[in-house]
Each structure stands twice: as C-alpha cells, then as structure tokens.
Amino acid sequence: MPLKNFIPPRRLLLGPGPSMVHQRVLRALSTSLLGHLDPAFLALMDDIQALLRIVFQTKNRFTIAVSGTGSAGMEASIVNIVEPGDTVIVGVNGLFGTRLGSMVERCGGKAIHVEAPWGQIIEAETIEATLRRSGPVKAVAIVHGETSTGAWQPLEPIAKLCREHDTLFVVDAVTSLGGVPVEVDRLGIDVCYSATQKCLSCPPGLSPFTLSDRAMATIRARRLPCQSWYLDMALIANYWADGSRAYHHTAPISMLYALREALRLVEEEGLPARFARHRRNGEALIAGLVELGLLPLPPVGHQLPMLTCVTVPPHIPEAKIRADLLSIYGIEIGGGLGPLKGKVWRIGLMGESSTEAHVLTLLNALEDLFIRGGWLSTPGIALRAAARIYGRTTS
Ligand SMILES: *Cc1c(COP(=O)(O)O)cnc(C)c1O
C-alpha cells in the first residue's frame, strides 16, 4: 500500500516556535525554482539583504540569511569568531546561553560563564567584574530573548562595556528579532543572528545574520581558517556580499522566496506597529493568565512580549493540560526545558501568532480546562482581564 498524502492536522501554534505562517509566505514557498546563480535570484538575494538591514536596524554590508535554523546562526557566530585559546564571556541563564557556551568550548575556546538563575537576567555589573579580571576577552555573548525562560535581557549596558573593553559583542536575537527592537548599529552589536520561524513568521530553515565591519575584520585576520567549511563567513561573503557571486553551496531557493515575502510583511506593517502589537498581546495574555493563578517566571520589566513563561502550580497536571489543549482545541503551547521541565508553560505570541483572537482563544480554552478540572470557579475572569487590556469592558 502506498502511503497516503500527508495532511497536517489544523493547529494554532502558540508555542516557542515555529509560529503561524501567513498565506502569502506559504504561496511564495510553492513557486517554481530558479538556479542559485540566476540573475533574478541574485536580485532576490539583494532584496533580502536590504529587508534584513531594516529589521536588524543596521547598515552592515554583511547582512545575510545563513542556511540552517537558528542554531546554525549561533554556530556561525561562534565558529567564525572563536579560535583555539580565545576567551569568551557567555551569559548563561537558560538553555540557549548554555548552548552558546558549549559551542565556544567545541571551538577550543575558553567559555567563562556568567550565570543567573533561570528566569532572571544577567546583570551588567557581573559582566563588568568578569571582564576586569579575565585578561584579553575575544567576545561577550548574550541571549536577548531567552526562549527557555521568557527573560528579556537588557543589551545596552553590556554593549557599552564591550566598547570600553574593546571586545566583540555577540547577540542571540533568535526570539526577539521582529518582535522587540534589536538595534544593531545604535548599540554597536558586532555579531547578531536570528531564525525565521519565530517573530518573522516564516518556516524554519534560515538564520538571518549580520556582522559589523569590526567583526568581519576579526574574521579576515584569523590565524587559522574557520574549522567549519559550510559556515565560513569569509567564503560565504563571496556569494552573498562581495559582488563576485561565486558558488559556495546551493542556496535554499524556496526558503529564500518565503523569507523575502515574510520580510515584506514586516516592512508593510512597520517595525513600531509590529513591536506595539507584540507588546499589547503579551500584556493581555499575562493579564488573563494571572487570573488563572499562572504567574510569569521573569521579574516585571524583563518579561518578553512574544514568549510568556508562567509557573504552573503543583496541583495542576501541566502535561495533561497541554495534551488536552492540543487534542481538544488544536492549540500548541510549550512545556519547560531542563530544570523547568514539568514546572512551566511557555506560550509564544510570535509574528502571525500574536493576535487578539489567539489570546482570547487560548484563554478561553484554558478556562474551560480549568473549570473541568475544578481549579476555577469564576468563568470568564481571564477573558475579562484580557478584554480590559484591549480597551473592551464587559460587565
Ligand atoms: C529557537 C532558539 C534558538 C535555536 O534555534 P533553532 O532554530 O531551534 O535552531 C537559539 N536561540 C534562541 C534564543 C532560540 O529561541
């Protein structure tokens, strides 16, 4: 028997990524292929570079999409910057900071972890003290939006320290780009990477990536060639950025069509409107969740608008509720990772997923499941709290 056609079940994706994808992006994915050196395709790459410079708020010439998911962008950052023996200070307050540190070690670098409990931010004072006592430091690497905890890391004070200490500043903007400002030039970020499937609302498979001239000069002055051939930005520059357009690897053509369309949607909405939308929906979601006894893990002022991580009280069977949300309502949310496994929910309102309708749909489903479980006796309470944020008052 041949396999049947695969038809994915209907889902509302409100987890930590992938997010919902606009019809226009899905349509772009299904258009016919071009060769990766076709002049029409090269023009499309130019468009993507220009659009990415807008979302990264940069003039960096080297602004591209790395082939691969967010982790490929992370790996590209580390493997190009770090040579054996280099010291890198890494902020570790969740899963992705930990991953950055392990990549530094795999490059033969020395990763000095500056830690904070999961859910908290990394204090600039701790980075400063570490910079002072660590001898020459090649880079400071930090996660802007820690998707494993919902913590929103302030970048500006750390950026300033990097300038004072003449060290490169590497920022993971996988979750934050397109949802909150990522001001590469204003802050002086040297290496910044993201992923398509979070606030840019494109399928996973590409990692937007930008390098300052300072970072590019560091890469070109390496003593040893980058140990990854595939992610070597000095080679990839010949295809993307340097005008020679020399073949390096076959570009993921369809994914780049999709990214161009997703970025066009971002540009049409405008960054300020997009940030405001994420902020408002995140605020409404939290207002509703709090009424259900679900409190955000990160402190006030450091809660990401596109990823809300709430502590689930011990009497609520968190895995069962998530399974019910998926099977009854077709809604996906995320559970906890590492030390937070079984203890938190991670709700993503990223890109196309961030709408008032989705917030209300999720809160309604949670109220229903909480009433069935006997943990809520006042139906409508979470929905009313969210409605107040949207400026609707219901009696
Ligand atoms: C999702 C994510 C990554 C990894 O991206 P993949 O696309 O899963 O490889 C890295 N950093 C952060 C902050 C993320 O949220």
Side-chain angles (χ1 to χ4, degrees), residues 7 14 47 59 76 79 103 122 158-159 210 233 237 281 313 345:
I7 299 171
L14 301 181
D47 293 344
K59 294 196 168 63
V79 88
M103 287 183 183
I122 307 289
I158 300 174
T210 188
M233 291 303 151
N281 290 321
W345 284 332

Side-chain angles (χ1 to χ4, degrees), residues 92-234:
V92 178
N93 55 347
L95 181 86
F96 294 105
T98 309
R99 187 175 292 181
L100 267 168
S102 78
M103 287 183 183
V104 170
E105 301 280 344
R106 281 169 184 241
C107 292
K110 180 176 167 214
I112 301 182
H113 289 195
V114 169
E115 302 194 29
W118 284 44
Q120 304 296 310
I121 60 157
I122 307 289
E123 297 296 342
E125 292 70 37
T126 329
I127 300 269
E128 182 166 28
T130 312
L131 273 167
R132 280 186 197 289
R133 63 160 184 266
S134 302
V137 171
K138 189 76 168 281
V140 174
I142 205 116
V143 179
H144 191 203
E146 214 352 308
T147 322
S148 60
T149 68
W152 185 1
Q153 174 68 43
L155 298 178
E156 194 153 0
I158 300 174
K160 193 160 161 280
L161 290 170
C162 289
R163 293 289 67 80
E164 287 165 11
H165 290 261
D166 195 23
T167 178
L168 295 173
F169 189 29
V170 178
V171 173
D172 175 317
V174 171
T175 278
S176 53
L177 190 74
V180 296
V182 177
E183 300 171 282
V184 168
D185 284 1
R186 191 180 74 77
L187 298 186
I189 298 170
D190 294 293
V191 183
C192 193
Y193 59 90
S194 187
T196 43
Q197 78 274 21
K198 304 207 181 177
C199 288
L200 299 177
S201 271
C202 189
L206 290 172
S207 172
F209 184 91
T210 188
L211 290 175
S212 69
D213 291 344
R214 192 165 36 220
M216 202 60 196
T218 304
I219 291 171
R220 295 211 188 273
R222 285 179 65 102
R223 285 173 286 127
L224 299 169
C226 175
Q227 78 204 48
S228 167
W229 180 88
Y230 194 73
L231 296 172
D232 183 341
M233 291 303 151

Side-chain angles (χ1 to χ4, degrees), residues 24-36 38 40-45 47-48 51 65 202-203 206 240 251-265:
R24 270 170 52 186
V25 175
L26 295 175
R27 223 177 292 137
L29 266 176
S30 66
T31 46
S32 56
L33 296 192
L34 289 169
H36 58 275
D38 189 305
F41 187 71
L42 298 177
L44 174 133
M45 290 168 67
D47 293 344
I48 288 175
L51 290 164
C202 189
L206 290 172
W240 270 93
I253 309 289
S254 306
M255 283 308 307
L256 288 159
Y257 292 170
L259 178 58
R260 181 182 185 276
E261 195 58 26
L263 291 170
R264 239 159 54 84
L265 285 160

